[in-house]
CSV table of all heavy atoms in Angstrom, one decimal:
chain,number,residue,atom,x,y,z
K,281,VAL,N,35.5,-1.6,0.1
K,281,VAL,CA,35.0,-0.3,0.1
K,281,VAL,C,33.9,-0.2,-0.9
K,281,VAL,O,32.8,0.4,-0.7
K,281,VAL,CB,36.0,0.8,0.0
K,281,VAL,CG1,35.4,2.1,-0.1
K,281,VAL,CG2,37.0,0.6,1.2
K,282,LEU,N,34.3,-0.6,-2.1
K,282,LEU,CA,33.3,-0.4,-3.3
K,282,LEU,C,32.1,-1.2,-3.1
K,282,LEU,O,31.0,-0.8,-3.3
K,282,LEU,CB,34.1,-0.8,-4.6
K,282,LEU,CG,33.2,-0.6,-5.9
K,282,LEU,CD1,32.8,0.9,-6.0
K,282,LEU,CD2,34.1,-1.0,-7.1
K,283,SER,N,32.2,-2.4,-2.5
K,283,SER,CA,31.1,-3.3,-2.3
K,283,SER,C,30.1,-2.6,-1.2
K,283,SER,O,28.9,-2.6,-1.4
K,283,SER,CB,31.5,-4.6,-1.9
K,283,SER,OG,32.3,-5.3,-2.8
K,284,VAL,N,30.8,-2.2,-0.2
K,284,VAL,CA,30.0,-1.5,0.9
K,284,VAL,C,29.3,-0.3,0.4
K,284,VAL,O,28.2,0.0,0.7
K,284,VAL,CB,30.9,-1.2,2.1
K,284,VAL,CG1,30.1,-0.4,3.2
K,284,VAL,CG2,31.4,-2.5,2.8
K,285,ALA,N,30.0,0.5,-0.4
K,285,ALA,CA,29.4,1.7,-1.0
K,285,ALA,C,28.2,1.3,-1.9
K,285,ALA,O,27.2,2.0,-1.9
K,285,ALA,CB,30.5,2.5,-1.7
K,286,SER,N,28.4,0.3,-2.6
K,286,SER,CA,27.3,-0.2,-3.6
K,286,SER,C,26.2,-0.5,-2.8
K,286,SER,O,25.0,-0.2,-3.1
K,286,SER,CB,27.8,-1.4,-4.4
K,286,SER,OG,28.9,-0.9,-5.2
K,287,LEU,N,26.4,-1.3,-1.7
K,287,LEU,CA,25.3,-1.8,-0.8
K,287,LEU,C,24.7,-0.7,-0.1
K,287,LEU,O,23.3,-0.6,0.1
K,287,LEU,CB,25.7,-2.9,0.1
K,287,LEU,CG,26.2,-4.2,-0.5
K,287,LEU,CD1,26.8,-5.2,0.6
K,287,LEU,CD2,25.1,-4.9,-1.3
K,288,TRP,N,25.4,0.3,0.3
K,288,TRP,CA,24.9,1.5,0.9
K,288,TRP,C,23.9,2.3,-0.1
K,288,TRP,O,22.9,2.8,0.3
K,288,TRP,CB,25.9,2.4,1.4
K,288,TRP,CG,25.5,3.7,2.0
K,288,TRP,CD1,25.0,3.8,3.2
K,288,TRP,CD2,25.5,5.0,1.5
K,288,TRP,NE1,24.6,5.1,3.5
K,288,TRP,CE2,24.9,5.9,2.4
K,288,TRP,CE3,26.0,5.5,0.3
K,288,TRP,CZ2,24.8,7.3,2.2
K,288,TRP,CZ3,25.8,6.9,0.0
K,288,TRP,CH2,25.3,7.7,1.0
K,289,CYS,N,24.4,2.4,-1.3
K,289,CYS,CA,23.6,3.0,-2.3
K,289,CYS,C,22.3,2.2,-2.6
K,289,CYS,O,21.2,2.8,-2.6
K,289,CYS,CB,24.3,3.1,-3.6
K,289,CYS,SG,25.7,4.3,-3.6
K,290,VAL,N,22.4,0.9,-2.5
K,290,VAL,CA,21.2,0.2,-2.7
K,290,VAL,C,20.2,0.3,-1.5
K,290,VAL,O,19.1,0.4,-1.8
K,290,VAL,CB,21.7,-1.4,-2.9
K,290,VAL,CG1,20.3,-2.3,-2.8
K,290,VAL,CG2,22.4,-1.6,-4.2
K,291,ALA,N,20.8,0.3,-0.3
K,291,ALA,CA,20.0,0.5,0.8
K,291,ALA,C,19.3,1.8,0.7
K,291,ALA,O,18.2,2.1,1.1
K,291,ALA,CB,20.8,0.4,2.1
K,292,THR,N,20.1,2.9,0.3
K,292,THR,CA,19.5,4.3,0.2
K,292,THR,C,18.3,4.3,-0.8
K,292,THR,O,17.2,4.8,-0.6
K,292,THR,CB,20.5,5.2,-0.2
K,292,THR,OG1,21.6,5.3,0.7
K,292,THR,CG2,20.0,6.6,-0.3
K,293,ILE,N,18.6,3.6,-1.9
K,293,ILE,CA,17.5,3.5,-3.0
K,293,ILE,C,16.3,2.8,-2.4
K,293,ILE,O,15.1,3.2,-2.7
K,293,ILE,CB,18.0,2.9,-4.2
K,293,ILE,CG1,19.1,3.8,-4.9
K,293,ILE,CG2,17.0,2.6,-5.3
K,293,ILE,CD1,19.8,3.2,-6.0
K,294,GLU,N,16.6,1.7,-1.6
K,294,GLU,CA,15.4,0.9,-1.2
K,294,GLU,C,14.7,1.8,-0.1
K,294,GLU,O,13.5,1.7,0.0
K,294,GLU,CB,16.0,-0.3,-0.5
K,294,GLU,CG,16.4,-1.3,-1.6
K,294,GLU,CD,16.8,-2.7,-0.8
K,294,GLU,OE1,17.0,-2.6,0.4
K,294,GLU,OE2,16.8,-3.7,-1.5
K,295,ALA,N,15.4,2.6,0.6
K,295,ALA,CA,14.7,3.4,1.6
K,295,ALA,C,13.8,4.4,0.9
K,295,ALA,O,12.7,4.6,1.2
K,295,ALA,CB,15.7,4.2,2.5
K,296,VAL,N,14.3,4.9,-0.2
K,296,VAL,CA,13.4,5.8,-1.0
K,296,VAL,C,12.3,5.1,-1.7
K,296,VAL,O,11.2,5.6,-1.6
K,296,VAL,CB,14.3,6.5,-2.1
K,296,VAL,CG1,13.5,7.4,-3.1
K,296,VAL,CG2,15.5,7.4,-1.5
K,297,GLU,N,12.5,3.9,-2.1
K,297,GLU,CA,11.5,3.0,-2.6
K,297,GLU,C,10.4,2.8,-1.6
K,297,GLU,O,9.2,2.8,-1.9
K,297,GLU,CB,12.0,1.7,-3.2
K,297,GLU,CG,12.6,1.9,-4.6
K,297,GLU,CD,12.9,0.6,-5.1
K,297,GLU,OE1,13.3,-0.5,-4.4
K,297,GLU,OE2,12.9,0.3,-6.4
K,298,ARG,N,10.9,2.4,-0.4
K,298,ARG,CA,9.9,2.1,0.7
K,298,ARG,C,9.0,3.4,1.0
K,298,ARG,O,7.9,3.3,1.1
K,298,ARG,CB,10.6,1.7,2.0
K,298,ARG,CG,11.1,0.3,1.9
K,298,ARG,CD,11.4,-0.3,3.3
K,298,ARG,NE,12.6,0.5,3.8
K,298,ARG,CZ,13.9,0.1,3.6
K,298,ARG,NH1,14.1,-0.9,2.8
K,298,ARG,NH2,14.9,0.8,4.0
K,299,MET,N,9.8,4.6,1.1
K,299,MET,CA,9.0,5.8,1.2
K,299,MET,C,7.9,6.0,0.1
K,299,MET,O,6.8,6.5,0.4
K,299,MET,CB,9.9,7.0,1.3
K,299,MET,CG,10.9,7.0,2.6
K,299,MET,SD,12.1,8.3,2.6
K,299,MET,CE,11.1,9.7,2.5
K,300,ARG,N,8.4,5.7,-1.1
K,300,ARG,CA,7.5,5.9,-2.2
K,300,ARG,C,6.4,4.9,-2.2
K,300,ARG,O,5.2,5.3,-2.4
K,300,ARG,CB,8.3,5.7,-3.6
K,300,ARG,CG,7.4,5.8,-4.8
K,300,ARG,CD,8.2,5.6,-6.0
K,300,ARG,NE,8.9,4.3,-6.0
K,300,ARG,CZ,8.3,3.1,-6.3
K,300,ARG,NH1,7.1,3.1,-6.6
K,300,ARG,NH2,9.0,2.0,-6.3
K,301,GLU,N,6.7,3.7,-1.8
K,301,GLU,CA,5.6,2.7,-1.6
K,301,GLU,C,4.7,3.0,-0.6
K,301,GLU,O,3.4,2.8,-0.7
K,301,GLU,CB,6.3,1.3,-1.3
K,301,GLU,CG,7.1,0.7,-2.5
K,301,GLU,CD,7.8,-0.5,-2.1
K,301,GLU,OE1,7.7,-1.0,-0.9
K,301,GLU,OE2,8.4,-1.2,-2.9
K,302,VAL,N,5.1,3.6,0.6
K,302,VAL,CA,4.3,4.0,1.7
K,302,VAL,C,3.4,5.1,1.1
K,302,VAL,O,2.2,5.1,1.4
K,302,VAL,CB,5.0,4.5,2.9
K,302,VAL,CG1,4.2,5.2,3.8
K,302,VAL,CG2,5.8,3.3,3.6
K,303,ALA,N,4.0,6.1,0.4
K,303,ALA,CA,3.1,7.2,-0.1
K,303,ALA,C,2.1,6.6,-1.1
K,303,ALA,O,1.0,7.1,-1.1
K,303,ALA,CB,4.1,8.3,-0.8
K,304,GLU,N,2.5,5.8,-2.0
K,304,GLU,CA,1.6,5.3,-3.0
K,304,GLU,C,0.5,4.4,-2.3
K,304,GLU,O,-0.6,4.5,-2.7
K,304,GLU,CB,2.4,4.4,-4.0
K,304,GLU,CG,3.3,5.1,-4.9
K,304,GLU,CD,3.9,4.3,-6.0
K,304,GLU,OE1,4.0,3.0,-5.7
K,304,GLU,OE2,4.6,4.8,-6.9
K,305,ALA,N,0.9,3.7,-1.3
K,305,ALA,CA,-0.1,2.9,-0.5
K,305,ALA,C,-1.1,3.9,0.1
K,305,ALA,O,-2.3,3.6,0.1
K,305,ALA,CB,0.6,2.0,0.5
K,306,ALA,N,-0.6,4.9,0.7
K,306,ALA,CA,-1.5,5.9,1.3
K,306,ALA,C,-2.4,6.6,0.3
K,306,ALA,O,-3.6,6.8,0.5
K,306,ALA,CB,-0.6,7.0,2.0
K,307,LEU,N,-1.8,6.9,-0.9
K,307,LEU,CA,-2.6,7.4,-2.0
K,307,LEU,C,-3.7,6.4,-2.5
K,307,LEU,O,-4.9,6.9,-2.7
K,307,LEU,CB,-1.7,7.9,-3.1
K,307,LEU,CG,-2.4,8.5,-4.3
K,307,LEU,CD1,-3.1,9.7,-4.0
K,307,LEU,CD2,-1.3,8.8,-5.5
K,308,ARG,N,-3.2,5.2,-2.7
K,308,ARG,CA,-4.2,4.2,-3.0
K,308,ARG,C,-5.3,4.0,-2.0
K,308,ARG,O,-6.4,3.9,-2.4
K,308,ARG,CB,-3.5,2.8,-3.3
K,308,ARG,CG,-2.7,2.7,-4.5
K,308,ARG,CD,-2.3,1.3,-4.9
K,308,ARG,NE,-1.6,0.7,-3.8
K,308,ARG,CZ,-0.3,0.8,-3.8
K,308,ARG,NH1,0.6,1.4,-4.7
K,308,ARG,NH2,0.5,0.2,-2.8
K,309,ASP,N,-5.0,4.1,-0.7
K,309,ASP,CA,-5.9,3.9,0.3
K,309,ASP,C,-6.9,5.1,0.2
K,309,ASP,O,-8.2,4.9,0.4
K,309,ASP,CB,-5.3,3.9,1.7
K,309,ASP,CG,-6.3,3.6,2.8
K,309,ASP,OD1,-7.0,2.6,2.7
K,309,ASP,OD2,-6.3,4.5,3.7
K,310,THR,N,-6.4,6.3,0.1
K,310,THR,CA,-7.2,7.5,0.0
K,310,THR,C,-8.1,7.5,-1.2
K,310,THR,O,-9.3,7.8,-1.2
K,310,THR,CB,-6.3,8.7,-0.1
K,310,THR,OG1,-5.5,8.8,1.0
K,310,THR,CG2,-7.2,10.0,-0.2
K,311,GLU,N,-7.5,7.0,-2.4
K,311,GLU,CA,-8.4,6.9,-3.6
K,311,GLU,C,-9.5,5.8,-3.4
K,311,GLU,O,-10.5,6.0,-3.9
K,311,GLU,CB,-7.5,6.5,-4.7
K,311,GLU,CG,-6.5,7.7,-5.2
K,311,GLU,CD,-5.6,7.3,-6.4
K,311,GLU,OE1,-5.5,6.0,-6.6
K,311,GLU,OE2,-5.1,8.1,-7.0
K,312,ALA,N,-9.1,4.7,-2.7
K,312,ALA,CA,-10.1,3.7,-2.4
K,312,ALA,C,-11.2,4.2,-1.6
K,312,ALA,O,-12.4,3.9,-1.8
K,312,ALA,CB,-9.4,2.5,-1.9
K,313,GLN,N,-10.8,5.0,-0.5
K,313,GLN,CA,-11.8,5.5,0.3
K,313,GLN,C,-12.7,6.4,-0.5
K,313,GLN,O,-13.9,6.5,-0.3
K,313,GLN,CB,-11.2,6.2,1.5
K,313,GLN,CG,-10.5,5.2,2.5
K,313,GLN,CD,-9.8,6.0,3.7
K,313,GLN,OE1,-10.1,7.2,3.8
K,313,GLN,NE2,-9.1,5.3,4.4
K,314,PHE,N,-12.1,7.4,-1.2
K,314,PHE,CA,-12.9,8.3,-2.0
K,314,PHE,C,-13.8,7.6,-3.0
K,314,PHE,O,-15.0,8.0,-3.2
K,314,PHE,CB,-11.9,9.3,-2.7
K,314,PHE,CG,-12.7,10.2,-3.7
K,314,PHE,CD1,-13.3,11.3,-3.2
K,314,PHE,CD2,-12.7,9.9,-5.1
K,314,PHE,CE1,-14.0,12.2,-4.1
K,314,PHE,CE2,-13.4,10.8,-5.9
K,314,PHE,CZ,-14.0,11.9,-5.5
K,315,ARG,N,-13.3,6.6,-3.7
K,315,ARG,CA,-14.1,5.8,-4.6
K,315,ARG,C,-15.2,5.2,-3.9
K,315,ARG,O,-16.3,5.2,-4.5
K,315,ARG,CB,-13.2,4.8,-5.2
K,315,ARG,CG,-13.9,4.1,-6.4
K,315,ARG,CD,-13.0,3.0,-7.1
K,315,ARG,NE,-11.6,3.6,-7.5
K,315,ARG,CZ,-10.5,3.3,-6.7
K,315,ARG,NH1,-10.6,2.4,-5.8
K,315,ARG,NH2,-9.4,3.8,-7.1
K,316,TRP,N,-14.9,4.6,-2.7
K,316,TRP,CA,-16.1,4.0,-2.0
K,316,TRP,C,-17.1,5.0,-1.6
K,316,TRP,O,-18.4,4.8,-1.8
K,316,TRP,CB,-15.5,3.3,-0.7
K,316,TRP,CG,-16.5,2.4,-0.1
K,316,TRP,CD1,-16.7,1.1,-0.3
K,316,TRP,CD2,-17.4,2.8,0.9
K,316,TRP,NE1,-17.7,0.6,0.5
K,316,TRP,CE2,-18.2,1.6,1.3
K,316,TRP,CE3,-17.7,4.0,1.6
K,316,TRP,CZ2,-19.2,1.6,2.3
K,316,TRP,CZ3,-18.8,4.0,2.6
K,316,TRP,CH2,-19.4,2.8,2.9
K,317,PHE,N,-16.6,6.1,-1.0
K,317,PHE,CA,-17.7,7.1,-0.6
K,317,PHE,C,-18.3,7.8,-1.8
K,317,PHE,O,-19.5,8.1,-1.7
K,317,PHE,CB,-16.9,8.2,0.3
K,317,PHE,CG,-16.6,7.9,1.6
K,317,PHE,CD1,-15.3,7.8,2.0
K,317,PHE,CD2,-17.6,7.6,2.6
K,317,PHE,CE1,-15.0,7.4,3.4
K,317,PHE,CE2,-17.3,7.2,3.8
K,317,PHE,CZ,-16.0,7.1,4.3
K,318,PHE,N,-17.7,7.9,-2.9
K,318,PHE,CA,-18.3,8.5,-4.0
K,318,PHE,C,-19.3,7.5,-4.6
K,318,PHE,O,-20.5,7.9,-4.9
K,318,PHE,CB,-17.2,8.7,-5.1
K,318,PHE,CG,-17.7,9.6,-6.2
K,318,PHE,CD1,-17.7,11.0,-6.2
K,318,PHE,CD2,-18.2,9.0,-7.4
K,318,PHE,CE1,-18.1,11.7,-7.3
K,318,PHE,CE2,-18.7,9.7,-8.5
K,318,PHE,CZ,-18.6,11.1,-8.4
Side-chain angles (χ1 to χ4, degrees):
V281 172
L282 186 56
S283 299
V284 171
S286 300
L287 294 176
W288 178 75
C289 292
V290 170
T292 302
I293 292 173
E294 287 185 342
V296 174
E297 279 191 327
R298 283 193 296 270
M299 293 173 62
R300 177 181 57 79
E301 289 173 357
V302 170
E304 289 180 348
L307 180 60
R308 286 194 299 270
D309 184 59
T310 302
E311 289 178 345
Q313 291 179 8
F314 173 80
R315 190 181 306 110
W316 190 91
F317 282 115
F318 189 90

